[in-house]
Amino acid sequence: MKSKDIHGGNLDDILVKQGIKIDDTNVCDFSVNLNPLGIDSTFLTNVFFDANTVSHYPEVYPQKAEETIAVFHNTTSDKIALCNGATECFSLVLRALKPKCVSYFAPAYTGYDEVCQTLGIPTSPIHFRKNDNTFHIDDEDVKNSKADLIFIGSPNNPTGHITAKAQLLKLAKENTNKFFVIDESFIDFIPESNELSLIGDTIPNNVIVIKSLTKFFSIAGLRLGFVYANEKLSSTLKKMSLPWSINGPAQAIAKKLYANNEYVINSQQKTEELRESFENALGKIENLKVYKSNVNFLLCELINTNITALDLQKKLLTNGFLIRTCETFEGLDKAFFRLAVRNEEENQKLAKYIGLIIKNEPICDETDKKTPAIMVVGTTSDAGKSLFAAALCRYLSNKGIKVAPFKAQNMSLNSFVTADGGEMGRAQVVQAQAARIEPCTEMNPVLLKPMGNSTSQVIINGQPYKNTTAREYYTHKNEISKKAFSIYDDLSRKFDALILEGAGSPTEINLLNEDFVNMRMAEHAGASTILVADIDRGGVFASIYGTIKLLPQKWQNLIKGVVINKFRGDKTL
């Protein structure tokens, strides 16, 4: 390792290093490689709200969690040793095998070298051979290495490339005097991960596989990973582990990780889609080389320019983005940086900013400034969202502000027909009247008109789109949500402020990953969000607290206030 490293996500340390003072609460962090979909919402109810996982002692040794992980990976628990993150896995393996010299294929995750330094084990890096924009292992480099243990990241961090399973097994077979530790921490991001992974296969005794569980499932704060090895080594590692080294919430969540197959598949497909789109945007930037990746991050190199990655990092920080510079990675220099894959809007905005900085052109905040917006969501349906949104429209209109209402999706058989013949929800018509403007279909881009037998007619921007079942509709939701966001953007350019309305509750756990009407819409609009609750329904404070706490943290941060309604007949006080 070239110097003491600063890992991704260490925003405070990087601000000090760069000599920058900014509001760190609004920095978009591209330096940490977590799932762009965020944490699986089912974990929030199944684990984090179970007080027993915190107040009771967990299993002294996490046997049940290991058994569950083993089933998910088509193996047996006697080959699995659960640890407090991948770094502890590395440490246990090194302490058990006691190598005299360790190598790792570089550039690589700096944690391999850090653990070796802590244990007093000398390291000697082996460099990947590099083609145009890919990296690969040369078998002769392994044969000639004097190390008796070699770390290989596959998929590798920070390059994102995979070493074929066949080549890894061939290296192990031809170099029986060496141990091979294969780090598969990012392999779950690949749709073909089951075919590419060594976990669950019969592997030679000199092969050990380590997998972090924090990246894909976005649970970095919990620290969870495991070792897959032969029964003898696995047993040794378990005996070396301290009692209660895996905390209660981590043990509980380990049993749930792969249970939600829909989340796993969606994460793999969405990550691939986002990465390809991000790569295409970055690939259009002159003087920037983007290396081919298979996972949720991209390695980039600045070429033919005087700008360094640290220069780029500093300028991006002042505009609300953090990137991971790679000068501390063995084999890389000040021209390299790594970008995590986040949501489409953030990816595209960052690509735009990088292009402007490289060309030494100013970043014009006005072009990216969103129209001020307020989102109104509710703890339940009929909590008073529509009326409260109408009141906000009238209040802002009275202040002389040109304001318009918006609801991404309505479901109603009784629609309103606009002057140009389009159909929209009636609630937004009332809100438009409150805003003293003519209603238009852009205020309600998606309208579902129930037809019976779980079928609805889908109206998009006032015009019939198709008749579909609920199941079919969900398969098109990604496409439909993009249309809704685009229509919102067009509408927002015509007004000084927007009042958005959500639907039902923003924390319907079974719908959270697909819901574009509530918090995902608020996030897109950059809207300050107000939560409305009806006191007459009972349990109002519990419903407010539960609604907020069930939201992912990034959406909790959007909640700026709470309104409690009191209904008397048809009037709201």
Side-chain angles (χ1 to χ4, degrees), residues 374 388-401 403 434-436:
I374 297 173
F388 185 68
L392 288 176
C393 286
R394 176 51 61 94
Y395 175 79
L396 293 178
S397 177
N398 287 344
K399 294 289 185 180
I401 296 171
V403 62
R436 298 184 174 94

Side-chain angles (χ1 to χ4, degrees), residues 449-469:
K449 299 180 69 176
M451 301 172 63
N453 297 321
S454 299
T455 302
S456 292
Q457 182 185 33
V458 181
I459 307 293
I460 294 183
N461 205 14
Q463 302 303 314
Y465 175 63
K466 64 172 61 177
N467 297 342
T468 178
T469 64

Side-chain angles (χ1 to χ4, degrees), residues 203-217:
I203 57 176
N205 288 336
N206 63 331
V207 172
I208 301 101
V209 185
I210 290 175
K211 188 183 198 181
S212 168
L213 295 168
T214 64
K215 320 294 188 190
F216 183 77
F217 293 102

Side-chain angles (χ1 to χ4, degrees), residues 8-25:
N10 262 339
L11 176 59
D12 291 341
D13 289 344
I14 292 170
L15 289 174
V16 171
K17 180 180 178 181
Q18 288 280 18
I20 298 174
K21 292 184 178 180
I22 58 172
D23 179 7
D24 59 6
T25 60

Side-chain angles (χ1 to χ4, degrees), residues 331-405:
L332 301 181
D333 57 30
K334 61 184 181 180
F336 288 86
F337 60 95
R338 189 193 67 201
L339 301 175
V341 173
R342 292 176 62 94
N343 67 51
E344 181 71 9
E345 183 178 3
E346 292 169 339
N347 294 342
Q348 295 301 317
K349 188 173 182 179
L350 178 62
K352 174 184 174 182
Y353 282 15
I354 290 173
L356 291 171
I357 292 170
I358 291 175
K359 290 190 291 185
N360 199 27
E361 294 182 4
I363 294 174
C364 181
D365 291 335
E366 290 302 314
T367 61
D368 297 296
K369 189 175 180 180
K370 292 182 179 294
T371 301
I374 297 173
M375 165 66 87
V376 180
V377 298
T379 55
T380 63
S381 296
D382 296 323
K385 298 185 294 293
S386 296
L387 191 58
F388 185 68
L392 288 176
C393 286
R394 176 51 61 94
Y395 175 79
L396 293 178
S397 177
N398 287 344
K399 294 289 185 180
I401 296 171
K402 188 179 179 183
V403 62

Side-chain angles (χ1 to χ4, degrees), residues 5-251:
D5 189 37
I6 294 179
H7 287 276
N10 262 339
L11 176 59
D12 291 341
D13 289 344
I14 292 170
L15 289 174
V16 171
K17 180 180 178 181
Q18 288 280 18
I20 298 174
K21 292 184 178 180
I22 58 172
D23 179 7
D24 59 6
T25 60
N26 294 319
V27 172
C28 188
D29 194 348
F30 276 81
S31 73
V32 289
N33 303 324
L34 300 177
N35 191 327
L37 268 63
I39 191 170
D40 181 356
S41 57
T42 61
F43 296 163
L44 300 175
T45 50
N46 293 339
V47 176
F48 294 127
F49 281 86
D50 184 352
N52 290 333
T53 63
V54 177
S55 61
H56 293 182
Y57 274 103
E59 276 192 285
V60 179
Y61 299 102
Q63 181 178 347
K64 291 179 182 177
E66 288 173 347
E67 290 172 354
T68 307
I69 291 291
V71 170
F72 288 145
H73 289 83
N74 196 31
T75 187
T76 53
S77 61
D78 56 355
K79 297 181 180 179
I80 297 287
L82 201 62
C83 299
N84 186 31
T87 299
E88 186 181 62
C89 294
F90 303 146
S91 178
L92 282 177
V93 168
L94 291 170
R95 286 163 51 205
L97 298 179
K98 297 180 173 60
K100 295 180 180 179
C101 180
V102 168
S103 282
Y104 53 89
F105 270 89
Y109 171 55
T110 55
Y112 310 148
D113 195 86
E114 288 173 336
V115 174
C116 288
Q117 284 192 21
T118 300
L119 297 175
I121 303 171
T123 60
S124 175
I126 307 171
H127 292 93
F128 284 110
R129 301 296 180 97
K130 188 169 72 170
N131 290 333
D132 179 35
N133 69 339
T134 59
F135 296 78
H136 69 276
I137 290 173
D138 189 295
D139 292 5
E140 286 299 309
D141 291 339
V142 175
K143 183 179 178 181
N144 295 331
S145 172
K146 299 186 184 306
D148 40 11
L149 184 148
I150 300 176
F151 283 98
I152 302 175
S154 184
N156 185 57
N157 176 16
T159 65
H161 80 278
I162 300 171
T163 301
K165 183 191 299 188
Q167 184 178 13
L168 294 172
L169 294 174
K170 179 174 178 286
L171 289 172
K173 182 178 179 181
E174 294 178 351
N175 298 272
T176 55
N177 61 327
K178 305 179 192 298
F179 286 99
F180 293 86
V181 178
I182 313 302
D183 182 0
E184 292 190 356
S185 292
F186 292 95
I187 204 162
D188 282 335
F189 285 102
I190 305 172
E192 305 82 15
S193 58
N194 290 337
E195 290 76 30
L196 297 170
S197 175
L198 288 166
I199 300 173
D201 289 359
T202 301
I203 57 176
N205 288 336
N206 63 331
V207 172
I208 301 101
V209 185
I210 290 175
K211 188 183 198 181
S212 168
L213 295 168
T214 64
K215 320 294 188 190
F216 183 77
F217 293 102
S218 200
I219 52 171
L222 275 184
R223 315 306 308 140
L224 201 59
F226 69 90
V227 179
Y228 174 70
N230 63 69
E231 295 90 337
K232 183 179 178 180
L233 178 57
S234 179
S235 176
T236 299
L237 298 177
K238 292 178 183 182
K239 290 175 182 177
M240 293 171 62
S241 298
L242 294 172
W244 302 295
S245 62
I246 311 298
N247 64 65
Q251 288 194 38

